[in-house]
Amino acid sequence: MRAILDDRNLLSAEDALRVFINETSPKPIGVEEVDILDSLNRISAEYVFSPINLPPFSRSTVDGYAIIDSETPGEFTIIDKISIGEYKEIEIKDKEAVEVDTGSIIPENATAVIKVEETERKGDKIFINRKVKFGENIGFIGSDIPKGFEILRPGEIIKAEKIALLASVGINRVKIFKRPKIYIITTGDELTEPGKPLQKGKIYESNSFYLYAKLKSEGYEIIGYTHVRDDKELIKEELLKGLDLADVVILTGGTSAGEKDFVHQVIKELGKIIVHGLKFKPGKPTILATVKGKAVIGLPGNIVSTIMITERVINKYLSIMAGKELTDEIKVKAILLNDVKADKNRYTYLPVYLFKKDEKYFALSIPFDSYMIGTFSMADGYIGLEPAEEHKEGEEVYVHLKRLDLRPTYIGEEEPTLLKLFSEFRKIPLGSYPALKALKYGIGDVIVISSLYDSSIAGEYMYRRKILQNGEGEKIVGYYDWIGLSRIVQNSSIKLRYPSLSSNFVGKATVIAPNTIINEGKEIGEEKLIIVCKDEYKSKLKTLS
């Protein structure tokens, strides 16, 4: 029986895929827990949050001497050394120093580290000839990512750098989605296996080789592949065998209107053809079907058709079964939301968050230091700049894309109450500066701006929080200048990226933070968080007092 495909009734590849998905409701086939080394290029099946601050302790970022900054300049006595990986209970006093390596924990009451090359040493004495700033050359606890930060999400492909991050926070096992199992059947009397003599009228079979290589590279398990002649009973037998072994069976050849095109007949007899024929060239005679409750896909015998339909239909369908989110290892052009500049002497990689609006990408360069594996791993991509290269806000640059997170986005000031309300959102709590850029360029779904940073913004919703001061003295914990609180914290050398980290310094320095972060201290003011929110998410804000 010939299959006649009327062009007037055919669906586009996109519409056919949508119909197939609606009919079959594909979903991940199961979850397994594995060692993180076995999770490379697999798909995360869970949210993972950091159980610790990273770094987990305040550490030196240089080889040098840990000191009390208020005693500089002057002569100091070296009382001990703390090597990397070593812990000592040392309390330094005025004019005392402890030698430290890059990465060493610093003594509890040290407030700065001076580089070795900036000192003069004689015996157990060093001389420092300048005033050292509070917090200088110290990577403070949680300065990379804070405890409780989302480091892995369902659907994310686990790359090598993310494995490094998981190890860095002490996690050695993760839950991943099981791989869909694929069975490949090629049909056709004209096909010859590569490596054998090619007889007249024959061609070498290549479809199964492409499908095997392509689908395996995408992370799927090829449970078997075989070639059968144009024999209806043999095709039926092989299809039933494949259905017993695999989650999806893919056949090539025999889907059109030729005399020996038996594939569409077999599928129709054993199951249900949902789509037969696409408004697509090459690839018109494609079949999307179900047999015994499993997906069966029939492709034309033409190798280019197989390649095109695999890219446009099969891979997208299998992505759902694998639990994948959208990912692309490509370069995209993006409009900068802030200025960027390379090191004057070195090629520089700058991690960025990416946003997509219509057909345009926007890139926010993230504050970054070389020890910050968390920051680099959580970024959507990165910009590569030549030494001394710089670009201004609004210019286009190429971004090496690691992933594209399409979840609705929370961007702006960090506030635990709001972050909990929008728990399923992508969260970029980096302060008012990026929030204002999001507002300017029309990106982001929930934008939170501090009145301390810009009081001119009008928002339909507002969240008030008291500002508390805990402690007195010259040692003041401050904030990165993207954050609203940076406007009222003066003369600070420590600049935290997240206000939630301030609780780690209570009792050690003067801490100024919201009452939703620290709960003890004298009230010194109020901060209003102005919330600009898309209509579809406003219902979540009605619970705010």
Side-chain angles (χ1 to χ4, degrees), residues 31-103:
V31 172
E32 57 185 329
E33 186 175 83
V34 299
D35 184 277
I36 56 173
L37 288 176
D38 295 323
S39 71
L40 181 64
N41 292 327
R42 299 292 297 274
I43 312 302
S44 171
E46 63 177 341
Y47 284 103
V48 177
F49 302 91
S50 178
I52 62 170
N53 290 305
L54 192 64
F57 53 85
S58 295
R59 58 199 287 255
S60 176
T61 60
V62 298
D63 293 337
Y65 301 94
I67 55 172
I68 296 172
D69 68 284
S70 57
E71 296 298 309
T72 59
E75 186 177 75
F76 290 74
T77 301
I78 304 167
I79 63 169
D80 208 334
K81 177 177 180 179
I82 302 177
S83 299
I84 187 169
E86 185 178 27
Y87 174 72
K88 292 181 180 179
E89 291 188 7
I90 301 174
E91 183 176 342
I92 59 174
K93 299 175 184 177
D94 299 345
K95 297 298 182 181
E96 290 182 341
V98 171
E99 188 176 356
V100 291
D101 299 328
T102 301

Side-chain angles (χ1 to χ4, degrees), residues 9 26 36 60 63 109 116 184 194 200 216 262 277 294 303 307 319 348 380 388 415 433 436 455 540:
N9 299 323
I36 56 173
S60 176
D63 293 337
N109 59 330
V116 168
I184 300 167
K200 290 182 179 181
K216 190 170 183 178
F262 297 121
K294 294 183 178 180
I303 182 59
I307 292 171
S319 291
T348 304
D380 298 316
E415 167 47 47
Y433 176 82
L436 287 167
S455 60
K540 288 179 174 285

Side-chain angles (χ1 to χ4, degrees), residues 289-308:
T290 58
V291 179
K292 290 192 171 184
K294 294 183 178 180
V296 174
I297 299 172
L299 299 175
N302 181 288
I303 182 59
V304 178
S305 297
T306 294
I307 292 171
M308 297 299 292

Side-chain angles (χ1 to χ4, degrees), residues 1-4 235 253-258 260-270 273 276 285 287:
M1 182 186 297
R2 295 179 180 269
I4 307 300
I235 292 170
T255 62
S256 191
K260 292 186 176 181
D261 286 336
F262 297 121
V263 168
H264 69 89
Q265 297 178 36
V266 170
I267 293 174
K268 188 174 183 179
E269 290 175 13
L270 294 178
I273 294 179
H276 191 183
I287 293 172

Side-chain angles (χ1 to χ4, degrees), residues 366-488:
I366 314 166
F368 176 68
D369 204 347
S370 58
Y371 71 89
M372 295 180 173
I373 176 62
T375 298
F376 191 82
S377 178
M378 293 307 300
D380 298 316
Y382 57 89
I383 303 168
L385 300 178
E386 297 291 340
E389 184 180 354
E390 57 182 290
H391 296 277
K392 298 296 183 182
E393 176 191 336
E395 291 183 18
E396 279 192 329
V397 294
Y398 279 104
V399 174
H400 298 263
L401 184 64
K402 296 195 296 180
R403 60 174 165 265
L404 185 58
D405 192 334
L406 298 178
R407 289 179 295 171
T409 300
Y410 173 112
I411 183 167
E413 295 288 337
E414 181 188 32
E415 167 47 47
T417 303
L418 296 177
L419 291 173
K420 187 175 180 181
L421 273 182
F422 299 97
S423 59
E424 297 303 312
F425 277 43
R426 177 193 193 196
K427 303 173 194 69
I428 305 176
L430 291 176
S432 293
Y433 176 82
L436 287 167
K437 297 300 180 185
L439 200 61
K440 176 180 177 180
Y441 289 93
I443 57 178
D445 300 276
V446 175
I447 298 170
V448 182
I449 300 164
S450 169
S451 60
L452 301 173
Y453 199 95
D454 189 333
S455 60
S456 67
I457 303 299
E460 191 172 340
Y461 295 90
M462 187 178 295
Y463 184 83
R464 299 174 186 269
R465 55 187 188 181
K466 297 176 182 177
I467 305 301
L468 305 181
Q469 178 176 323
N470 187 299
E472 300 282 349
E474 295 180 355
K475 298 174 183 177
I476 301 172
V477 174
Y479 298 96
Y480 191 73
D481 58 11
W482 285 9
I483 298 171
L485 286 167
S486 67
R487 296 296 194 259
I488 61 171

